[in-house]
Every structure is written in C-alpha cells, then in structure tokens.
Amino acid sequence: MMDFARTRKLFHMPDGVIYLDGNSLGPLPHSAVERVSSLMTHQWGEMLIRGWNDAQWMTMPRRIGDRVGRLIGAPAGTVVMGDTLSIKVYQALASALDLVEDKSRRVILSDSGNFPSDLYMAEGLIKSLDRGYVLKVVAPDDVEAAINETVAVTMLTEVDYRTGRLHDMKALTAKAHAVGALAIWDLAHSAGAIPVDLAGAEADFAVGCTYKYLNGGPGAPAFIYVAPKWADKARPALSGWLGHERPFAFDLTYRPGDGIDRMRVGTPPIIALAALDAALDAWDGIDMADIRQKSIALCDLFIREVEGKCPSLKLGSPRDGSKRGSQVSFIHPEGYAIMQALISRGVIGDFRAPEAIRFGFTPLYIDETDVRAAVDILADIMTNNLWDQPQFKQKALVT
Ligand SMILES: *Cc1c(COP(=O)(O)O)cnc(C)c1O
C-alpha cells in the first residue's frame, strides 16, 4: 500500500482546515508555486517570446496531455490540454455527431445527474446546428434502457457531481456501440479520483477538467481525449489556428492537424499549464488502484461515522463503494446553513442545491484522522443546532 504521508506533504493546507472539497478545487501544491514563479521570472521575464520554442511552451498541451492520459487509461498521443471543460464538451459533441454514420439519428442521450453546463452546451450546439437533434435527459438508472437505435451519441458524466453515483463506463459504451451510437464520457469527477480505462472501455471521446482532483488550480485547463480510430477523422468543430496542420503557414483556409493536435484551438494558457504540470508531479509513482482502495475506505468511514453521530442527515450517495466515486453527500433541508456552519469551523465541503452537503475524499492529502475530526465537528453542529443562525443562511454567489 502507498505511503500517503509523503504526498500529503506536497500540498499547502491552511492551519485549522480540514479540506473535504478537493473534488471542487484541489489545494495548492507547493511545487506549483515554485514552478509558476520560475516560469514567470526565467521564462516569460527573460526569454520573452523565445519561450515558445526555447522553453517548449508550444508543445506543453500535448506533453501534459500525456501525463493526464496515464491517469485515465489513455495511450500516449490521445489527449491534449486546452480551454475549459464546457468548451471541450461542445467540441467533443460536435465531432461525435459528425462521425455518426446514420444521419437520421436525432437523439443525444444524457441523464439528469449530469452537470448542467454539459446539458447547456448540448442545447446551444443543437440550436446552432439546426438539424433537428434533441437532447434526451433520463434518470441515471434509466440510461442503459434508453440507449437504442434512435441515439446518435451518449453524453454522460461517469461520476454524478451531486451524488457520486458511478456509471459503468464499459457496459454503457458497449451498449452504445451495439446500437451504432458513439459514446462521450465526462471525467470531471473521475480523473484523479478513480481508476479510468478509456482505451479498455473503448470510449470514443472523453473530456475533463484539472482543477478538481488533479489540483491544477482555479480555472486550470481542460483535457480532451479522442480514440485513436477517430483521431484523423474527427472534425474539431472549433477550428482554431493551433489545431491547423501548419499554424505558421498562415494559410487562409483550415486544414486539421495530425490526430489529437486538431483539438487544440487557440494560444495555450502557459502559466496555468505550468501550475498543472507541477501539480501532476504528485501523481508520479502513484497507482490509481491504491488511491481507489484508500478513497473507498475513507468514504466508508465517513458514512459510518456520520450515520452513527448525526441521525438527521440522510445519505445521498450510493452506500456501496464500488458504485460511488470519491465523494459523499448527505441530504438535509437546511444543508446550506449546515455547510456554512461547518466551514466556519474549518471543515470545508460544499453545498449543491437543493439539499446536498457534499464532501470529497482525496487520499493524496486526507486521512482517517481528518475524517474523524470532521465528523466530530459536524456532530457538534447537528446535535446543538449550531447551524441555526442567520449568518449561515445568507446565500453567497458560489455555494
Ligand atoms: C466541474 C464540471 C464542469 C465545469 O466546466 P468548466 O467549463 O470547467 O467550468 C463541467 N462539467 C462537469 C461534469 C463538471 O463536473
């Protein structure tokens, strides 16, 4: 079993904080501070524009894509970084719809546990294309039954952001393929949280962000994976100059670049990529199977302790660890105030409307002691109704 005491030291944690929100924004890796500072001083400062060649800025999206790829079962050369996840969802969906042979298929299938931005991006794309596509949103448990010959593309998020419910990527992808549809997977709450095997599951496209479990920092660049069999066929939809076959030929017409390179759009965010690159060092030598084992143990412990000490909280996540990502939610009508009270005591999780308090468990820097201490504070808040104060009921912009 991995020694997570080593990785814990890699992160800055403010005094008095138990951080159970690494599923929303991972903490700051010490190495990111050094890397970004060094890049600013030595590269941006001294090299100026020469950095694109001399410091290999231009190839960073591919090099870092390969590092992320190792964590999600993607072969080298199939992942590239850039833009935000919402944009990558749009790009993957547009490309996938293009690749579906049977153009009479009209359904883009998703579920009601998907993150709204994915659904909104699909809605927007459907309007722009104006080809009669419909977004069909079913309950997560009904997805498998809804995959039929009307479906062009399934667009699913593997781990439900609110409940942590885990879809069976391999089985649903196989079903999609069996009916002639393509499968897009959003790994926002999977990458760095659970083992993912994109190649083994034969996913067609995958996308994800890097500021959650991968600790790349607020607004860190997203990634996109394209299965090798589609890499040279996919039309990237967002046909920017850096996805062009020869950006510096400055041709007046677009020709897609080789393979995954075509999914690049514009100038990459070098400072953000440097922070992410440094953050990914924490994963060197880590086996995702060890992460998974520890993550399930931490989540199980949390559920057991909360149910034992806070009877008014109702579990909002699958009880079976194998059917859950690396997060746990509890349901309570006063969830927002309870979470605010917790945060005021240094236990940071978040609230997801309408009633979920959500906690992420990240073995790289959270251990059993943190879990027990967090539950003791939660139990104090629940037993003594400490959440029932006006200052905890004032809704902030970000919950
Ligand atoms: C976090 C998350 C997003 C956020 O998209 P951004 O463009 O990075 O803001 C989108 N989809 C899912 C499934 C998410 O969990």
Side-chain angles (χ1 to χ4, degrees):
M1 189 66 185
M2 259 298 299
D3 171 21
F4 290 108
R6 176 190 72 82
T7 56
R8 192 176 166 97
K9 293 200 194 82
L10 301 175
F11 295 89
H12 171 72
M13 204 43 81
D15 284 340
V17 165
I18 300 175
Y19 196 61
L20 304 181
D21 213 359
N23 52 309
S24 223
L25 175 67
L28 173 68
H30 296 299
S31 60
V33 179
E34 288 155 30
R35 189 80 58 92
V36 168
S37 160
S38 157
L39 179 132
M40 303 257 253
T41 309
H42 302 296
Q43 297 186 8
W44 182 13
E46 294 299 319
M47 292 178 176
L48 293 161
I49 201 164
R50 292 170 291 187
W52 288 107
N53 287 318
D54 296 353
Q56 282 91 46
W57 292 347
M58 195 46 97
T59 50
M60 273 174 98
R62 283 287 300 273
R63 186 173 61 73
I64 297 174
D66 283 345
R67 297 192 77 187
V68 172
R70 190 184 74 78
L71 300 173
I72 53 175
T78 60
V79 176
V80 73
M81 311 304 300
D83 315 298
T84 76
L85 175 50
S86 302
I87 288 172
K88 280 350 216 181
V89 167
Y90 187 95
Q91 210 181 12
L93 183 56
S95 298
L97 287 172
D98 234 38
L99 288 166
V100 175
E101 260 169 48
D102 176 0
K103 298 292 182 212
S104 70
R105 289 170 183 244
R106 284 288 164 264
V107 174
I108 298 164
L109 181 67
S110 193
D111 71 57
S112 55
N114 204 347
F115 191 79
S117 198
D118 296 35
L119 304 176
Y120 302 161
M121 294 311 280
E123 263 184 54
L125 176 63
I126 287 169
K127 283 214 178 83
S128 300
L129 290 176
D130 198 19
R131 281 191 228 136
Y133 286 116
V134 288
L135 176 62
K136 184 169 175 185
V137 178
V138 301
D141 286 342
D142 297 337
V143 167
E144 188 181 354
I147 301 177
N148 59 34
E149 272 77 12
T150 65
V151 175
V153 172
T154 60
M155 183 190 78
L156 299 165
T157 296
E158 188 185 21
V159 177
D160 187 311
Y161 75 103
R162 203 189 272 127
T163 65
R165 182 224 12 85
L166 181 62
H167 270 314
D168 185 337
M169 181 189 292
K170 191 165 182 165
L172 293 179
T173 303
K175 177 102 191 261
H177 290 167
V179 302
L182 264 63
I184 301 173
W185 286 98
D186 189 326
L187 305 178
H189 297 276
S190 306
I194 59 172
V196 178
D197 184 7
L198 285 176
E202 297 184 43
D204 297 292
F205 290 83
V207 293
C209 51
T210 59
Y211 47 80
K212 293 172 179 163
Y213 292 90
L214 296 178
N215 315 306
F223 63 84
I224 184 166
Y225 162 86
V226 181
K229 71 169 178 178
W230 300 125
D232 284 315
K233 293 201 182 85
R235 197 182 61 83
L238 300 172
S239 38
W241 74 304
L242 288 186
H244 191 278
E245 187 184 19
R246 293 183 58 215
F248 285 87
F250 296 105
D251 287 344
L252 295 185
T253 50
Y254 183 77
R255 284 195 315 279
D258 264 357
I260 193 69
D261 267 333
R262 67 186 56 189
M263 292 297 165
R264 296 179 61 164
V265 182
T267 305
I270 297 303
I271 298 170
L273 282 167
L276 172 61
D277 196 22
L280 290 171
D281 290 349
W283 297 94
D284 286 344
I286 299 272
D287 184 337
M288 285 309 297
D290 289 340
I291 292 278
R292 181 65 170 153
Q293 194 187 344
K294 182 80 184 288
S295 143
I296 290 178
L298 292 174
C299 292
D300 284 349
L301 173 66
F302 183 74
I303 292 172
R304 215 162 46 236
E305 289 278 299
V306 172
E307 289 189 326
K309 294 179 176 168
C310 313
S312 65
L313 295 176
K314 191 172 146 287
L315 183 63
S317 297
R319 189 173 296 280
D320 175 353
S322 71
K323 301 206 156 47
R324 195 175 60 213
S326 198
Q327 63 195 64
V328 173
S329 293
F330 277 91
I331 308 296
H332 191 287
E334 293 292 341
Y336 185 79
I338 293 166
M339 182 50 71
Q340 293 307 306
L342 265 176
I343 293 171
S344 78
R345 299 275 298 271
V347 177
I348 302 183
D350 56 23
F351 170 76
R352 286 294 173 264
E355 301 191 330
I357 50 175
R358 185 177 71 159
F359 304 88
F361 296 88
T362 45
L364 289 186
Y365 52 87
I366 290 294
D367 63 18
E368 284 84 356
T369 313
D370 299 317
V371 172
R372 290 181 195 281
V375 177
D376 285 345
I377 293 171
L378 178 59
D380 183 32
I381 288 168
M382 297 312 296
T383 310
N384 299 305
N385 288 331
L386 301 179
W387 52 266
D388 195 6
Q389 300 181 49
Q391 77 267 28
F392 297 141
K393 299 182 183 178
Q394 199 66 45
K395 283 257 168 82
L397 192 58
V398 175
T399 66

